[in-house]
Amino acid sequence: MGATKTDHFSEEQNRLANRMKALGHPARIAIMEYLIQVDTCICGDIVNVLPLAQPTVSQHLKELKNAGLIKGSIEGTAICYCVDKDAIAELQRYLANANLQLENKEKQCC
Amino acid sequence: MGATKTDHFSEEQNRLANRMKALGHPARIAIMEYLIQVDTCICGDIVNVLPLAQPTVSQHLKELKNAGLIKGSIEGTAICYCVDKDAIAELQRYLANANLQLENKEKQCC
DNA sequence: CTTATTTATCGTAATATTGCAATATAGTAT
DNA sequence: ATACTATATTGCAATATTACGATAAATAAG
């Protein structure tokens, strides 16, 4: 084995897991934080900001894009990447809801 | 290679990535959702709820525990697992803050 | 003590991820 | 066309993850 059994879970569970997984690497967290921090999204210097080689960064960007967390568009010679606000908002809502359900629990044992 | 270069990133980035990674699998999302949904946390039937073999579920529970997302305590013959509210709250706050920063952006290109 | 019952661990095969050197691609400028 | 710059893709080695059968450990019931 070694392959995730995606077919046994709901589409939402798989989509969520995919996005969480995309954020499940410190380099990709760092990329997201950088993209959020920089006010504009003309970001031709991500490679210089990270302690990783250019192909590695490119691959991480690709994974973030595949997970729908960032968007990219060609901007002349450079490429413009930015965070997909909706995706982050969706994740945030999901966790906020989980939080709410936990707050409303009566029995608390552990 | 194949090993994550954790030492190049901040402790917070690594901790966050670890928790996100733990949520980065549909089975573990399903486990969390079940633990949240069930009002009490005496949960001896997680295996029956999931479409996976018992050792696999046990392993997923272990990963969630290692990431600090759930807590477990022995309850006679069964084991009592429940969600760590603080961990979820921390993730939620992180994303809420990211969201806020994105809302306040002036330039929006992509 | 023996037998269930429940959860954990070990061992292992299949697959995925991480990281980077080398190379390719695409646009800009001279 | 040539050189330059920025990003992507390929190929590959090292390591990690996923899944499960077999087995162990621990407690409960008879």
Side-chain angles (χ1 to χ4, degrees), chain A residues 23-62:
Chain A
L23 291 176
H25 192 290
R28 293 194 290 267
I29 289 281
I31 289 174
M32 292 299 281
E33 288 180 349
Y34 182 70
L35 286 179
I36 287 171
Q37 182 197 16
V38 172
D39 196 39
T40 169
C41 56
I42 300 168
C43 315
D45 53 351
I46 302 184
V47 174
N48 306 329
V49 176
L50 293 171
L52 295 169
Q54 180 267 323
T56 308
V57 174
S58 185
Q59 195 176 288
H60 282 308
L61 286 166
K62 192 178 173 185

Side-chain angles (χ1 to χ4, degrees), chain A residues 67-106:
Chain A
L69 290 170
I70 65 176
K71 290 181 282 188
S73 54
I74 299 165
E75 192 86 12
T77 176
I79 291 224
C80 163
Y81 275 119
C82 66
V83 176
D84 187 321
K85 273 168 66 170
D86 295 341
I88 299 295
E90 192 189 344
L91 279 184
Q92 194 260 320
R93 272 198 307 275
Y94 180 81
L95 288 176
N97 183 55
N99 230 21
L100 203 67
Q101 282 187 261
L102 288 170
E103 292 294 343
N104 290 337
K105 272 202 180 186
E106 291 181 9

Side-chain angles (χ1 to χ4, degrees), chain A residues 7 66 69:
Chain A
D7 44 315
N66 283 342
L69 290 170

Side-chain angles (χ1 to χ4, degrees), chain B residues 66-77:
Chain B
N66 283 342
L69 290 170
I70 64 176
K71 289 181 286 188
S73 53
I74 299 166
E75 193 86 13
T77 177

Side-chain angles (χ1 to χ4, degrees), chain B residues 52-67:
Chain B
L52 294 169
Q54 180 267 324
T56 309
V57 174
S58 184
Q59 195 175 291
H60 281 309
L61 286 167
K62 191 178 173 187
E63 279 173 72
L64 286 170
K65 200 173 178 186
N66 283 342

Side-chain angles (χ1 to χ4, degrees), chain B residues 82-102:
Chain B
C82 66
V83 177
D84 187 321
K85 273 168 66 170
D86 295 341
I88 300 296
E90 192 190 344
L91 279 184
Q92 194 259 321
R93 274 198 307 275
Y94 180 82
L95 287 177
N97 184 55
N99 228 22
L100 202 68
Q101 281 188 263
L102 287 171

